[in-house]
Amino acid sequence: MLLKRTQVRAARRAGRAAHRSFSGLDERLPLAEAARTTVRKVFPDHWSFLLGEIALYSLLVLLLTGIWLTFFFQPSMQDTVYAGPYAPLRGLPVSEAYASTLRISFEVRGGLLIRQMHHWAALLFVFAIGAHLLRIFLTGAFRRPREANWVVGVTMLLLALVEGFAGYSLPDDLLSGTGLRTAQGIMLSVPVAGTYLSFFAFGGEYPGQDIVARLYPVHILLVPGLLVGLVSLHLLLVVHLKHTQWAGPGRTGRNVVGKPFFPHYVAKSAGLFFLTSAVLAALGALAQINPVWAYGPYRTDVVSTGAQPDWYVGFLEGALRLMPGVETRLWGHTLMWNPLVPGVLLPGLLFAGLYGYPFFERWITGSHGERHVCDRPRNRPARTALGIAVLTSYAVLLLAGAQDIAAFITEISVQAVTWTLRCAVVLLPPLAFWLTRRLCLALQARDAEQLVHGAESGEVRESVEGGFAAGRVPLPPEQRHVNAVYEVNTPLVNTPLPGQSAAPASARGTWPARLRDALSRWYYAGRLRSPLSTEDHLRAQDMIAGPDEPVRERADRT
């Protein structure tokens, strides 16, 4: 009894001490209020929203495995003689970085598993970010008030590419050294500043002795720190701005329908984390990746055959291979268009387009209100077609990055494969744009027909006159809601520019106004009229309108 009373009193004292500590912290930091707000936060439930979480959990695996690898990796290009267990390389001069990578792979217990998990996690991280951004782009989730979060996401994609390339280059094997040589060629193609950039990065004439030592802190400190900060900012903005949601009964631009953060979302998210980690562990254990011992140490006079980088920079490799070797001599200086155009201008144009697209679309559509309901891609044909055209260009360039392998497999000359891919990168994106836009318009027409006549039942009915017609049944309420509730706008004609209350006569003929009207007509070309009645149409538009747009104003504008 005495022992039990002592235990009870100790538990009470511990509870009072914990309460006093929490109260003291809560007086200085709003912990309780923040916890209540976070626990009550509602998140919509849809599989496409998990892409961002996969990127987050891949980053966590990257950080954990990367911390473990830093205990064994030596970021030095000093020469040494390999004396490890891998017999084909024993006795060869290698760098300390390459030797430590072999040591991790063959001598450290579990080293090869962790190294391959790290590499697979890097690939999954970049893929998940790209897929997440594509989902946001196709559904219009970048619109106000989420433009800043879109910019944060594009910046994370850019940093992920830099981080992946830096980590890929650290082992100093023949494949990564070939990639560094390509990067040095891109640096040298920059007018005026190219030689200075190369000397700064490599610490002198290529290959120098400093590149691995300089890439190492960038890879383990600078870029990861920026990524963690941007991920934190991204999550804070998601919580503050509330999550987008798909159209459905009871879902509008003024509410969020879903499950609470705790316990439903926490349980599901924790399960996804363990599943992601398990898949990466299985890949690391069963699927070989980046076998640096097979490539050998880097030598400036040797280039490995069939050398391709990781897929996320494969489009740059393909662009370099497809671009003709053209140069221009100006004022005593030689301007090398290859690799300047594919290595500098192309990625610069790509990321400039990604950063600026939300503001470009807002400018040509005149939509300045908040939007919290996701677009179905078919209801934005121009945007969807533009995204598919860019993906088609990326796929062709990615294939071009392995044009020598394709020529070897198909037994077609490299020149023929190269010219075929050059024609494809010019012709296929416009064709993909046209086909995607027509497909979206056809799907819109089918949705409108289903709203008016219902869905096909699979039965065929014969009339008394001998005619045949497809049997139809009314759409389920949820599907009817999805087909009916989407934003309908018209092209801008003689509309005021941003900051103007009206379009004065002097501004209607200016080139910015004419350009804006022309782009708006192109964006809404082929649009279909809503088959709903005026009352139902206005009700549907009101469901989409954000909280900053009163119902009456939205109806009047429509």
Side-chain angles (χ1 to χ4, degrees):
M1 290 295 293
L2 181 60
L3 178 61
K4 186 175 182 179
R5 291 195 195 97
T6 303
Q7 291 176 342
V8 170
R9 285 196 295 269
R12 289 176 180 174
R13 285 196 297 269
R16 288 194 295 267
H19 184 268
R20 285 195 300 271
S21 300
F22 182 81
S23 300
L25 284 175
D26 190 49
E27 292 174 357
R28 296 160 178 82
L29 300 172
L31 298 178
E33 181 180 354
R36 284 193 298 268
T37 303
T38 303
V39 167
R40 292 196 303 264
K41 190 70 178 178
V42 174
F43 288 89
D45 191 11
H46 193 269
W47 67 267
S48 63
F49 299 153
L50 301 179
L51 295 171
E53 293 187 45
I54 294 176
L56 174 63
Y57 298 142
S58 301
L59 178 61
L60 289 178
V61 175
L62 273 172
L63 293 174
L64 294 175
T65 55
I67 291 172
W68 188 89
L69 291 172
T70 58
F71 293 120
F72 305 99
F73 182 74
Q74 297 294 327
S76 172
M77 296 185 70
Q78 294 296 322
D79 291 333
T80 185
V81 176
Y82 180 70
Y86 189 67
L89 295 177
R90 195 175 299 149
L92 291 180
V94 298
S95 66
E96 287 283 357
Y98 185 72
S100 65
T101 305
L102 294 179
R103 191 179 308 115
I104 292 172
S105 302
F106 296 120
E107 300 178 58
V108 177
R109 187 179 298 274
L112 183 59
L113 172 65
I114 299 299
R115 193 174 74 83
Q116 295 199 148
M117 281 184 62
H118 189 73
H119 202 123
W120 279 115
L123 298 183
L124 181 60
F125 177 57
V126 180
F127 173 80
I129 291 180
H132 182 58
L133 281 174
L134 182 62
R135 195 276 301 176
I136 292 174
F137 177 83
L138 294 177
T139 62
F142 54 80
R143 294 174 295 177
R144 183 183 176 190
R146 297 176 181 84
E147 300 96 335
N149 225 3
W150 168 264
V151 171
V152 170
V154 174
T155 305
M156 283 194 291
L157 175 61
L158 178 59
L159 290 175
L161 298 181
V162 174
E163 177 76 347
F165 179 77
Y168 172 85
S169 304
L170 287 178
D172 196 35
D173 60 286
L174 185 56
L175 186 60
S176 66
T178 304
L180 281 173
R181 182 60 167 168
T182 303
Q184 194 244 0
I186 294 174
M187 293 179 192
L188 291 176
S189 70
V190 178
V192 182
T195 54
Y196 299 98
L197 290 174
S198 176
F199 268 69
F200 174 77
F202 291 89
E205 291 286 352
Y206 179 86
Q209 293 293 321
D210 299 334
I211 184 63
V212 170
R214 290 179 177 179
L215 283 177
Y216 188 65
V218 170
H219 180 69
I220 70 169
L221 290 177
L222 179 59
V223 179
L226 292 174
L227 280 172
V228 171
L230 288 177
V231 167
S232 303
L233 176 60
H234 181 76
L235 294 177
L236 286 174
L237 288 175
V238 169
V239 173
H240 174 69
L241 299 174
K242 81 178 186 179
H243 209 291
T244 56
Q245 59 185 350
W246 291 96
R251 302 172 186 171
T252 70
R254 297 176 172 83
N255 67 3
V256 178
V257 179
K259 301 293 180 62
F261 177 77
F262 184 84
H264 299 81
Y265 194 80
V266 170
K268 183 177 69 173
S269 188
L272 182 62
F273 167 70
F274 290 118
L275 179 61
T276 302
S277 303
V279 170
L280 292 174
L283 287 173
L286 303 175
Q288 179 177 274
I289 190 170
N290 197 25
V292 295
W293 54 89
Y295 306 140
Y298 179 63
R299 286 175 48 185
T300 56
D301 60 333
V302 178
V303 177
S304 60
T305 58
Q308 281 83 36
D310 284 334
W311 68 268
Y312 48 85
V313 289
F315 75 101
L316 281 180
E317 177 75 16
L320 289 169
R321 297 189 183 195
L322 294 186
M323 180 71 186
V326 181
E327 63 182 42
T328 303
R329 187 75 176 173
L330 294 175
W331 301 293
H333 297 277
T334 301
L335 191 62
M336 296 295 299
W337 296 108
N338 186 3
L340 178 63
V341 172
V344 179
L345 299 183
L346 176 64
L349 180 63
L350 172 64
F351 278 94
L354 289 174
Y355 278 116
Y357 184 83
F359 312 99
F360 168 75
E361 183 175 299
R362 186 175 64 183
W363 182 61
I364 65 173
T365 60
S367 178
H368 296 280
E370 292 187 9
R371 291 295 177 267
H372 301 284
V373 178
C374 294
D375 289 328
R376 297 176 79 193
R378 67 184 64 181
N379 294 327
R380 292 288 184 176
R383 181 205 296 155
T384 304
L386 186 61
I388 298 302
V390 173
L391 283 180
T392 303
S393 301
Y394 176 85
V396 174
L397 293 178
L398 185 61
L399 180 61
Q403 112 271 35
D404 53 341
I405 304 296
F408 177 78
I409 294 174
T410 60
E411 298 184 354
I412 302 174
S413 67
V414 175
Q415 290 81 3
V417 174
T418 301
W419 276 103
T420 301
L421 292 172
R422 285 174 178 172
C423 295
V425 80
V426 174
L427 299 177
L428 288 185
L431 179 61
F433 180 91
W434 181 80
L435 286 175
T436 304
R437 191 167 193 167
R438 298 307 305 172
L439 178 61
C440 290
L441 292 174
L443 291 174
Q444 284 188 35
R446 190 193 69 172
D447 290 345
E449 183 184 11
Q450 289 179 347
L451 284 174
V452 176
H453 303 292
E456 294 184 1
S457 63
E459 300 177 351
V460 178
R461 298 178 180 177
E462 183 180 4
S463 65
V464 294
E465 293 84 4
F468 295 91
R472 293 183 176 273
V473 295
L475 284 177
E478 183 173 356
Q479 185 60 43
R480 181 175 178 83
H481 184 99
V482 171
N483 287 10
V485 178
Y486 63 93
E487 189 173 6
V488 178
N489 297 97
T490 57
L492 303 177
V493 179
N494 294 329
T495 51
L497 294 175
Q500 296 178 341
S501 58
S506 59
R508 293 173 185 173
T510 59
W511 71 264
R514 291 197 302 270
L515 176 63
R516 185 191 189 196
D517 292 346
L519 291 173
S520 183
R521 287 192 296 270
W522 165 82
Y523 186 84
Y524 290 112
R527 70 194 186 282
L528 303 178
R529 295 182 61 86
S530 174
L532 302 175
S533 64
T534 302
E535 182 180 355
D536 290 340
H537 171 69
L538 293 179
R539 188 180 299 112
Q541 299 305 292
D542 175 49
M543 292 180 183
I544 297 173
D548 64 331
E549 195 170 4
V551 176
R552 183 173 58 256
E553 292 183 9
R554 183 65 178 86
D556 293 341
R557 184 164 65 84
T558 306

